[in-house]
Structure formats: structure tokens, C-alpha cells
Amino acid sequence: MSSPGPDIAGSVVRSRPVLRFLTCGSVDDGKSTLIGRLLYEQNLIFDDHLAALTRDSRKHGTTGADIDFALLLDGLEAEREQGITIDVAYRYFATPRRAFIVADTPGHEQYTRNMATGASNSDLAILLVDARKGLLAQTRRHAIIAGMLGIRHVVLAVNKIDLVGFSQDVFDGIAGAFAAFAAPLGFKVVQAIPLSARYGDNLSVRSDKTPWFDGPSLLEFLETVDVEDDRAAKAFRLPVQWVNRPNLDFRGFAGTVASGTIGIGEEIAVLPSGRSSVIKSILSPAGEVDRAEAGDAVTVTLADEIDIARGDVMAPMRERPQVADQFAAHLVWMSAERLLPGRSYLMKINHGAVVATVTELKHRVDTDSLAKLAAKTLALNEVGVCNLSTGRPIVFDTYADNRTTGAFILIDRVSNETVAAGMVDFPLRRATNIHRQNITVTKEKRSLLNNHRPAVLWFTGLSGAGKSTIANLVEVQLHARGVHTLLLDGDNVRHGLNRDLGFTEADRVENIRRIGEVAKLMTEAGLVVLCSFISPFRAERQMARELVADGEFLEIFVDAPLEQCVARDPKGLYRRALAGEIKNFTGVDQPYEVPQSPDLHLKSGEFTATELAEQVVRGLERLKVI
């Protein structure tokens, strides 16, 4: 059998209504087999691919002498060796009635992020269930994520129905259980279909082995389901991806229209600045056009020269998106490192990037019961609802209104790992009710009065390294020279401001966040602030640095080997920690992240505390702080 060439197939996909869908569900429930078999039955596999698939089935297959259709989509060698899907595999195909773009997503928990990626661009989900196993935790999790990401049409594919004797009772039990579970998720259509992906029952045509089933075959349903694309009917949104300025005579703003339509001569506002202008021209890949609509990649020029940057959003004057620096959102946590409220992450939204912090984790969603559970953190694959604060106001819609301008991701600022996918629920009104008060006596004026610059000297290192001893000696020297100082010590702060915090990772993050804010206020007062804290995580030390102006923060690493700190043990803490009497102790059962490029590196074992204090003072002189 021959198949149409890539160019012909591509033109067919482009010429017919397109349905984007994904296959998801737990591992080994037959997602890849279903798609592979569907392509085979539609004569959409090239002859040479079919020959290769036959050879690979003998080597890697799990279906005996039969062709293992799952291998058609498992393109990675690791996928074929393990018999699992790791990455998202996309396939494009068409029938006489419709074109399809399908994302075959992995079922393993550790690859949930890839499933969410596939779901974010899909209009329909085929949620597979192994008829022998019924609904599993991963089945429910994928259903929740699909619902959160705005998918409203679901096919519940009860696969491997042949392995339970084509039992109607089994099918009805699974379909009923899913209907009860999914009721709160807001799906518009849930079509349950009994399937045998391996043998093709109810795949392209209805099977005579399930006479009790009077619904459509899978392909029949996919060809006829109405998943209307209402993006064009929504308000116009163009997130600016690139400012295109090839020469002095042209300045265009490139991006893909997220929703709505726009035409030459129409007035727009640019958020967050709020400046307005008129569309002068619209350039598409085919040349200049009069109008653009949702999904079009265009470059627009404006009648006025206004300042626009990547991440800004164009919108109609009377239908503007939200602009706020605090909002509530759903998060799907995708990292092995747990979410730590108070830690700053990098948020990417509408092609822009901004520092963001989870200020409050309201609850975690139980993926078995959808119950709201109290939680202080989120672990890998957990779903939660939280409040976030950003470093500056950002432009967004709620995810329910716009799946493009209401979605974001969070990135770990140290590892650059994508740690969460987020959907904006609503802005927090207090973000627009709070305004900064102008103060006449500024930090600069106070510094002139003090006759020295303000600074934060951040001493970090293991317990027992000598941080507080050195900081105290430094402050004595500075005080003798007339420098206005304040020493913040870990133990002292926990007796007052932070007495409500423990020593978990989340509490340690909040501990440093509060201290950083206090240090910032003290620099506003013109002081030299000496902070002596273990502060074990690089992310929080970086957060504290960014709270003050450039040049005002000095990270001072008091470097002492753990063995030396244990030998000193001035407070007897190591002895108690090693005996199991103290939990979450840095260096024993909590990690310490060594500074990668501290401003001052003090080697505690090679010099006395007095000599190290003098090194700090000389460093302040070199930096002209004093």
C-alpha cells in the first residue's frame, strides 16, 4: 500500500477543518498503539515505514508475531527499549471529513509535564483506561490537568476490552465511575467508547463484538465532534514576541494573534503602559493584508512611535486585559524539587519574563477525590491553588477567558528548570489598591548625613563556621570609625520577628525573605547592615541581593569544612543533630548550597576571626562603602 507524500498530506491537513487532540492516561494503557493502529487503518503509513515497523516489532515488540503499532510513535530508542512513551510525539493526518493533529503524550508520572504541554494546545482529549485496571491515579490526574487547561471535550477510551471478554458490565462500571469523578471538572462532552486498540475494535468502524454498545466508533466521533474555535470571537490580543527593526525606516511588532481580529485603521491600546495608537499596516507571510485574526502570525506597524517591548500586549481600547502584580492561579508542579512559598522564580508569560513569588499556597487538590487539602508545599505532579506576586505589573487575562494570555510557566532561577505550569484564575484587587508613598528624605540624603554608603554584608556558611563572631568584630571596627550599623543575627531574629518559623525548607525560605526585607529597610535608613545567617539556599541569597540596589549587597562566604564546624560545635547543636534530637539541621540532614562566586571568600580555617574581620573592612574600603 502506498501513502500520499508529505507535501500532499500537508496540503490535505491545511485544506480541511482541523481537530487538535491528545491521547493521555496512565502508562501501558495503549495510547501509542491506538494512534498507530488508527493511522494503519486509514492507509497513512508509508510502505517503507510499515516494513521498518514490522522489523522493529520483532526486535522490540510486545505483541508476539503481530505488528506492534505503539512503536510507530515511540521514536526514541529509549522509548522502544522500555516500551513506554517519554516525549510528546505529534502526528498529522486527515480523513475525507477532517484533518487531525494528534499529540501522543507519556503516561509515566515523571513525564507529566510533557502531558501538560500536549494538552495546552489541544481541543479534545482521548483519555485511555485499561479495562482490566479501571481508573488509576494517573488517569484522574490527567483528567484534572486536561480540565484545568481548558479542554472541554473528552473521549473516555476503555481500551483492551478484548482482555475482559468484551464485557458490558466492566465498561459500564468504568464509564459510570469516571462520570461521577469528572462531574466537577466542567467537561462539556464526555463520550465513553469500548476499544481494542490492538485489534481495531470500535476504532474506525463499530465492532460486532460489542453489540451492546450503540455509540460511535472513535474515528466517527472524532470526525463529527463540534469543538468550535471561539478565539476569533473574543477580544483582540496580540502579545508582542519581537520588535522588528531591520532599518531606520521600519519598526514593526511581530507575534501571533492570540484572539479576536484586527484591521488597518483600528485603534489599539498597548499594555501595560496604556499608550494608544492606530494600526497602520499588517504584514503576513504572504504579504500585506487588511485584517488578521486569531492564529495568524503577523507583523503590525503603528501610526505613532510609542515604546513597545517584547511581552507587551496589544488590545482594543475598550476591551483591555488585566494589569496587576498579584493574582490567584492554579499550578501543576513539575519538578522533583518542591514548591517553596516565598522563593522567587522566573515567570514567563506572553513572551515576557518577570520575577515571581508564591506568596500563599491556599490548598492542594487531591487527585483522587478533588478535595481541597491543606498544604505548605507542592511535590512533583501535585496540583495546587495559590496567590502569586510579581516584581512588576504584568498583562494577562484569566485562563477561562483566554488560554494563551492566561497561561504561564515558572522557572527555577538557579537551575533554569521549568518547575510549574500555571493558569491565572483572577487578579487580586489589593494589587491595584496599594500605592507607593513618595518620601522627601531619601536614602541618598541619609547617606550624606552618615558620611558613608549603605550596604548589606551577608555572612553565609555552616553553623559553627564563625559567621557571627566575624560579623561582630567587623561591626566593632565600623562602629569605632563612626559607621552607622545594625547586626542581624540568626538566633536573635528567631527570638522576635521570626519566632513563628521552624526549620523546614519552606520556613527557612520565609525566614530569609523577611530578613531580606528588613535589611532593605535598613539600607533605606542609610545603615551598613550585617546579616549573619546560614541561609543555605542560593535562590534566597540571590533574592536578598535583588532587594537592594546594585553594589549594595556583598555576599561573604565564611568557608569552614563541616568537620571543623562539628569539632567546634560551640552551641552543641551538631552533637544533638547527629544524635537525631534536632531535625532539618544544615550539614547533617539538610543541604547547604555553597556560593558559586561570593563577593568575599573568608577561609575560616586559615586565618583568625580578627584577621578575617580585617579582610572584610579592607574590602569595604576598596568598594568605597566606608
Side-chain angles (χ1 to χ4, degrees), residues 253 262 265-270 274-280 301-306 308 314-315 317:
F253 307 98
I262 194 69
E266 295 183 17
E267 192 175 13
I268 55 97
V270 180
R275 299 285 300 275
S276 62
S277 185
V278 173
I279 299 292
K280 180 180 178 183
T301 62
L302 302 179
D304 304 286
E305 285 290 339
I306 59 178
I308 300 176
M314 296 185 188
M317 293 292 292

Side-chain angles (χ1 to χ4, degrees), residues 216-248:
S217 69
L218 176 64
L219 185 61
E220 181 182 354
F221 180 78
L222 295 178
E223 287 180 323
T224 57
V225 63
D226 181 12
V227 287
E228 69 286 355
D229 184 356
D230 61 350
R231 290 182 301 163
K234 294 179 180 290
F236 169 68
R237 299 286 186 266
L238 176 61
V240 176
Q241 187 172 6
W242 180 43
V243 179
N244 182 7
R245 193 164 195 187
N247 54 60
L248 294 176

Side-chain angles (χ1 to χ4, degrees), residues 354-406:
V354 62
V355 174
T357 302
V358 175
T359 55
E360 179 186 4
L361 179 58
K362 298 165 124 179
H363 63 261
R364 177 172 68 83
V365 178
D366 187 313
T367 54
D368 287 324
S369 64
L370 296 179
K372 299 176 181 177
L373 304 178
K376 291 187 176 181
T377 184
L378 292 178
L380 177 66
N381 294 327
E382 289 186 336
V383 177
V385 177
C386 62
N387 291 341
L388 289 107
S389 173
T390 55
R392 56 176 170 76
I394 59 170
V395 185
F396 59 85
D397 291 288
T398 65
Y399 191 81
D401 289 337
N402 195 310
R403 290 175 64 181
T404 300
T405 54

Side-chain angles (χ1 to χ4, degrees), residues 117-276:
T117 301
S120 65
N121 295 312
S122 297
D123 303 309
L124 178 146
I126 298 179
L127 184 64
L128 279 93
V129 179
D130 188 324
R132 300 167 300 173
K133 302 175 182 175
L135 302 182
L136 302 176
Q138 191 70 339
T139 315
R140 297 186 183 92
R141 181 177 291 114
H142 281 191
I144 292 172
I145 294 173
M148 286 173 51
L149 291 171
I151 292 176
R152 293 294 172 262
H153 299 76
V154 173
V155 174
L156 181 70
V158 182
N159 192 26
K160 304 183 183 181
I161 196 73
D162 55 302
L163 298 181
V164 294
F166 295 94
S167 169
Q168 181 180 2
D169 289 341
V170 172
F171 173 76
D172 289 344
I174 294 172
F178 184 78
F181 169 78
L185 297 179
F187 294 128
K188 183 177 180 181
V189 173
V190 176
Q191 175 65 57
I193 301 175
L195 284 172
S196 172
R198 179 175 177 180
Y199 299 108
D201 292 288
N202 289 326
L203 204 60
S204 297
V205 296
R206 298 190 199 185
S207 172
D208 57 8
K209 297 174 183 174
T210 55
W212 41 266
F213 177 66
D214 59 0
S217 69
L218 176 64
L219 185 61
E220 181 182 354
F221 180 78
L222 295 178
E223 287 180 323
T224 57
V225 63
D226 181 12
V227 287
E228 69 286 355
D229 184 356
D230 61 350
R231 290 182 301 163
K234 294 179 180 290
F236 169 68
R237 299 286 186 266
L238 176 61
V240 176
Q241 187 172 6
W242 180 43
V243 179
N244 182 7
R245 193 164 195 187
N247 54 60
L248 294 176
D249 300 323
F250 183 88
R251 187 164 181 257
F253 307 98
T256 299
V257 180
S259 61
T261 64
I262 194 69
I264 294 176
E266 295 183 17
E267 192 175 13
I268 55 97
V270 180
L271 286 302
S273 70
R275 299 285 300 275
S276 62

Side-chain angles (χ1 to χ4, degrees), residues 242-571:
W242 180 43
V243 179
N244 182 7
R245 193 164 195 187
N247 54 60
L248 294 176
D249 300 323
F250 183 88
R251 187 164 181 257
F253 307 98
T256 299
V257 180
S259 61
T261 64
I262 194 69
I264 294 176
E266 295 183 17
E267 192 175 13
I268 55 97
V270 180
L271 286 302
S273 70
R275 299 285 300 275
S276 62
S277 185
V278 173
I279 299 292
K280 180 180 178 183
S281 66
I282 303 174
L283 303 174
S284 74
E288 188 164 343
V289 295
D290 293 332
R291 296 197 67 80
E293 63 176 25
D296 290 344
V298 296
T299 296
V300 302
T301 62
L302 302 179
D304 304 286
E305 285 290 339
I306 59 178
D307 183 20
I308 300 176
R310 177 184 172 92
D312 288 354
V313 178
M314 296 185 188
M317 293 292 292
R318 297 181 181 277
E319 296 179 282
R320 304 185 185 199
Q322 303 278 351
V323 178
D325 60 4
Q326 295 190 47
F327 55 88
H330 276 72
L331 286 184
V332 182
W333 196 252
M334 298 176 171
S335 173
E337 296 290 330
R338 294 179 300 160
L339 164 69
L340 295 176
R343 172 169 288 182
S344 65
Y345 298 93
L346 191 66
M347 170 188 288
K348 286 201 171 181
I349 181 170
N350 295 326
H351 309 304
V354 62
V355 174
T357 302
V358 175
T359 55
E360 179 186 4
L361 179 58
K362 298 165 124 179
H363 63 261
R364 177 172 68 83
V365 178
D366 187 313
T367 54
D368 287 324
S369 64
L370 296 179
K372 299 176 181 177
L373 304 178
K376 291 187 176 181
T377 184
L378 292 178
L380 177 66
N381 294 327
E382 289 186 336
V383 177
V385 177
C386 62
N387 291 341
L388 289 107
S389 173
T390 55
R392 56 176 170 76
I394 59 170
V395 185
F396 59 85
D397 291 288
T398 65
Y399 191 81
D401 289 337
N402 195 310
R403 290 175 64 181
T404 300
T405 54
F408 63 89
I409 61 173
L410 295 181
I411 298 172
D412 186 290
R413 302 182 65 193
V414 175
S415 67
N416 284 327
E417 176 193 15
T418 299
V419 296
M423 285 65 68
V424 177
D425 293 333
F426 51 84
L428 298 174
R429 291 274 68 101
R430 63 176 178 267
T432 55
N433 293 339
I434 299 175
H435 304 278
R436 290 194 178 277
Q437 178 68 39
N438 291 325
I439 298 174
T440 304
V441 180
T442 63
K443 176 171 61 177
E444 289 72 22
K445 292 179 179 177
R446 297 190 189 98
S447 298
L448 288 174
L449 199 63
N450 291 336
N451 201 30
H452 62 77
R453 289 172 48 202
V456 175
L457 311 184
W458 194 277
F459 294 82
T460 177
L462 292 170
S463 177
K467 301 181 297 299
S468 296
T469 301
I470 298 169
N472 189 56
L473 291 171
V474 172
E475 186 177 35
V476 169
Q477 290 196 42
L478 294 179
H479 183 75
R481 297 173 61 157
V483 177
H484 295 266
T485 61
L486 178 71
L487 174 56
L488 298 174
D489 181 82
D491 287 351
N492 294 349
V493 171
R494 283 186 179 273
H495 278 92
L497 175 67
N498 293 347
R499 66 190 306 171
D500 59 320
L501 299 178
F503 292 88
T504 63
E505 285 191 25
D507 282 351
R508 285 176 183 272
V509 170
E510 176 61 13
N511 182 49
I512 298 303
R513 189 193 69 79
R514 293 183 191 179
I515 293 163
E517 292 288 350
V518 171
K520 175 187 176 183
L521 291 173
M522 294 303 103
T523 60
E524 293 291 332
L527 306 184
V528 172
V529 191
L530 300 93
C531 300
S532 174
F533 300 93
I534 296 173
S535 46
F537 305 121
R538 296 189 188 108
E540 280 60 65
R541 298 196 294 266
Q542 180 64 23
M543 176 189 67
R545 177 187 291 272
E546 293 175 356
L547 288 173
V548 297
D550 291 343
E552 290 184 352
F553 187 95
L554 280 79
E555 185 179 46
I556 302 171
F557 177 33
V558 183
D559 186 1
L562 177 63
E563 300 75 20
Q564 183 178 323
C565 297
V566 173
R568 288 179 180 168
D569 203 10
K571 302 173 185 175

